[in-house]
Amino acid sequence: MTDCIFCKIITGDIPSTNVFRDEQVTAFRDLHPAAPTHIMIVPNKHIDSVNMLTNDDEQLIGHLFTTAKQLAAQEGIAEDGYRLIINTNANAGQTVFHIHLHLLGGAPMQHPMG
Ligand code: 5GP
Ligand code: ZN
Protein backbone atom coordinates (compact mmCIF):
# COMPACT_ATOMS: atom_id res chain seq x y z
CA MET A 1 0.00 0.00 0.00
CA THR A 2 1.86 3.06 -1.24
CA ASP A 3 -0.06 5.64 0.84
CA CYS A 4 0.05 3.72 4.15
CA ILE A 5 2.25 5.22 6.89
CA PHE A 6 2.89 1.86 8.56
CA CYS A 7 3.78 0.14 5.26
CA LYS A 8 6.33 2.94 4.76
CA ILE A 9 7.69 2.38 8.29
CA ILE A 10 8.00 -1.36 7.53
CA THR A 11 9.95 -0.69 4.32
CA GLY A 12 12.08 1.98 6.05
CA ASP A 13 10.78 4.83 3.87
CA ILE A 14 9.57 6.61 7.03
CA PRO A 15 11.98 6.56 9.99
CA SER A 16 10.91 4.86 13.21
CA THR A 17 12.43 3.51 16.40
CA ASN A 18 12.12 -0.20 15.80
CA VAL A 19 12.25 -2.59 18.74
CA PHE A 20 11.56 -5.91 16.97
CA ARG A 21 11.34 -7.34 13.49
CA ASP A 22 10.85 -10.80 12.03
CA GLU A 23 9.39 -12.20 8.81
CA GLN A 24 5.81 -11.58 9.96
CA VAL A 25 5.70 -8.50 12.20
CA THR A 26 7.45 -5.22 12.96
CA ALA A 27 7.32 -3.37 16.31
CA PHE A 28 8.25 0.28 16.78
CA ARG A 29 7.75 3.02 19.37
CA ASP A 30 4.66 5.21 18.98
CA LEU A 31 5.42 8.73 17.77
CA HIS A 32 3.07 10.21 20.40
CA PRO A 33 3.36 7.84 23.37
CA ALA A 34 0.29 7.62 25.64
CA ALA A 35 2.28 5.76 28.34
CA PRO A 36 5.96 5.38 29.35
CA THR A 37 6.07 2.28 27.12
CA HIS A 38 3.96 2.58 23.98
CA ILE A 39 4.85 0.21 21.18
CA MET A 40 2.99 -0.53 17.95
CA ILE A 41 3.10 -4.13 16.76
CA VAL A 42 2.04 -4.49 13.13
CA PRO A 43 1.92 -7.27 10.54
CA ASN A 44 4.42 -6.76 7.72
CA LYS A 45 1.55 -7.46 5.30
CA HIS A 46 -1.01 -4.68 4.91
CA ILE A 47 -4.43 -5.36 6.46
CA ASP A 48 -6.73 -2.33 6.94
CA SER A 49 -8.38 -3.35 10.20
CA VAL A 50 -9.83 -6.24 12.20
CA ASN A 51 -12.85 -6.02 9.89
CA MET A 52 -10.67 -7.22 7.00
CA LEU A 53 -9.22 -10.30 8.75
CA THR A 54 -9.75 -13.73 7.24
CA ASN A 55 -9.26 -17.21 8.70
CA ASP A 56 -5.89 -17.30 6.93
CA ASP A 57 -4.71 -14.48 9.24
CA GLU A 58 -5.30 -16.36 12.50
CA GLN A 59 -1.67 -17.49 12.95
CA LEU A 60 -0.44 -13.98 12.13
CA ILE A 61 -2.72 -12.34 14.69
CA GLY A 62 -1.65 -14.87 17.31
CA HIS A 63 1.93 -13.95 16.51
CA LEU A 64 1.16 -10.25 17.16
CA PHE A 65 0.12 -11.24 20.70
CA THR A 66 3.08 -13.50 21.46
CA THR A 67 5.35 -10.73 20.18
CA ALA A 68 3.57 -8.30 22.54
CA LYS A 69 4.15 -10.67 25.46
CA GLN A 70 7.85 -10.93 24.57
CA LEU A 71 8.22 -7.16 24.25
CA ALA A 72 6.41 -6.56 27.57
CA ALA A 73 9.02 -8.76 29.26
CA GLN A 74 11.83 -7.03 27.37
CA GLU A 75 10.52 -3.60 28.45
CA GLY A 76 10.28 -4.75 32.09
CA ILE A 77 6.51 -4.14 32.33
CA ALA A 78 5.23 -7.74 32.30
CA GLU A 79 4.88 -8.14 36.04
CA ASP A 80 3.40 -4.71 36.85
CA GLY A 81 0.99 -5.02 33.94
CA TYR A 82 0.19 -3.61 30.55
CA ARG A 83 -2.68 -3.09 28.14
CA LEU A 84 -3.07 -4.36 24.56
CA ILE A 85 -5.45 -2.42 22.32
CA ILE A 86 -6.62 -2.73 18.73
CA ASN A 87 -8.83 0.16 17.60
CA THR A 88 -11.27 -0.48 14.75
CA ASN A 89 -12.88 2.30 12.74
CA ALA A 90 -14.26 5.67 13.82
CA ASN A 91 -15.99 4.95 17.13
CA ALA A 92 -12.82 3.36 18.50
CA GLY A 93 -10.65 6.19 17.15
CA GLN A 94 -8.64 4.24 14.57
CA THR A 95 -6.49 6.77 12.70
CA VAL A 96 -4.03 4.53 10.83
CA PHE A 97 -5.69 1.93 8.62
CA HIS A 98 -2.99 -0.75 8.84
CA ILE A 99 -3.96 -3.09 11.66
CA HIS A 100 -1.82 -2.54 14.78
CA LEU A 101 -1.67 -3.79 18.33
CA HIS A 102 -0.84 -1.09 20.90
CA LEU A 103 1.33 -2.25 23.82
CA LEU A 104 0.96 0.25 26.67
CA GLY A 105 2.51 0.12 30.11
CA GLY A 106 4.99 1.54 32.59
CA ALA A 107 2.46 3.35 34.81
CA PRO A 108 -0.99 2.63 36.29
CA MET A 109 -3.84 3.21 33.79
CA GLN A 110 -7.43 4.27 34.27
CA HIS A 111 -10.10 1.64 34.31
CA PRO A 112 -12.69 1.01 32.93
CA MET A 113 -11.87 1.98 29.37
CA GLY A 114 -14.11 3.84 26.99
P1 5GP B 1 -4.83 4.32 16.20
O1 5GP B 1 -5.38 5.61 16.72
O2 5GP B 1 -5.06 4.16 14.71
O3 5GP B 1 -5.22 3.11 16.98
O4 5GP B 1 -3.26 4.42 16.43
C1 5GP B 1 -2.37 4.99 15.52
C2 5GP B 1 -1.11 5.28 16.29
O5 5GP B 1 -0.07 5.49 15.36
C3 5GP B 1 -1.19 6.54 17.17
O6 5GP B 1 -0.92 6.17 18.52
C4 5GP B 1 -0.12 7.45 16.58
O7 5GP B 1 0.58 8.17 17.57
C5 5GP B 1 0.79 6.48 15.86
N1 5GP B 1 1.45 7.05 14.70
C6 5GP B 1 0.88 7.77 13.70
N2 5GP B 1 1.79 8.13 12.79
C7 5GP B 1 2.98 7.60 13.22
C8 5GP B 1 4.29 7.63 12.68
O8 5GP B 1 4.58 8.19 11.62
N3 5GP B 1 5.26 7.00 13.41
C9 5GP B 1 4.99 6.33 14.57
N4 5GP B 1 6.01 5.75 15.20
N5 5GP B 1 3.74 6.29 15.10
C10 5GP B 1 2.76 6.92 14.43
ZN1 ZN C 1 -0.03 -0.63 5.41
Side-chain angles (χ1 to χ4, degrees), residues 1 4-8 10 44-47 97-99:
M1 267 249 174
C4 171
I5 295 171
F6 288 176
C7 281
K8 287 180 180 165
I10 290 160
N44 295 338
K45 121 177 165 177
H46 182 94
I47 302 170
F97 286 83
H98 179 131
I99 196 170

Side-chain angles (χ1 to χ4, degrees), residues 23-81:
E23 68 285 350
Q24 291 188 95
V25 304
T26 298
F28 51 92
R29 296 199 188 278
D30 198 288
L31 196 58
H32 304 292
T37 293
H38 189 172
I39 293 171
M40 317 295 305
I41 306 155
V42 311
N44 295 338
K45 121 177 165 177
H46 182 94
I47 302 170
D48 281 9
S49 76
V50 170
N51 284 341
M52 302 305 288
L53 289 176
T54 69
N55 290 351
D56 289 345
D57 297 318
E58 286 176 1
Q59 187 278 333
L60 175 62
I61 295 308
H63 191 56
L64 285 184
F65 278 81
T66 51
T67 300
K69 169 206 151 174
Q70 220 177 296
L71 290 174
Q74 196 173 301
E75 293 285 310
I77 60 173
E79 292 308 316
D80 284 345

Side-chain angles (χ1 to χ4, degrees), residues 5-6 9 14-17 28-34 38 40 85-88 92-98 100 102:
I5 295 171
F6 288 176
I9 284 177
I14 290 180
S16 61
T17 306
F28 51 92
R29 296 199 188 278
D30 198 288
L31 196 58
H32 304 292
H38 189 172
M40 317 295 305
I85 297 173
I86 299 180
N87 294 319
T88 303
Q94 184 177 6
T95 57
V96 178
F97 286 83
H98 179 131
H100 49 279
H102 294 256

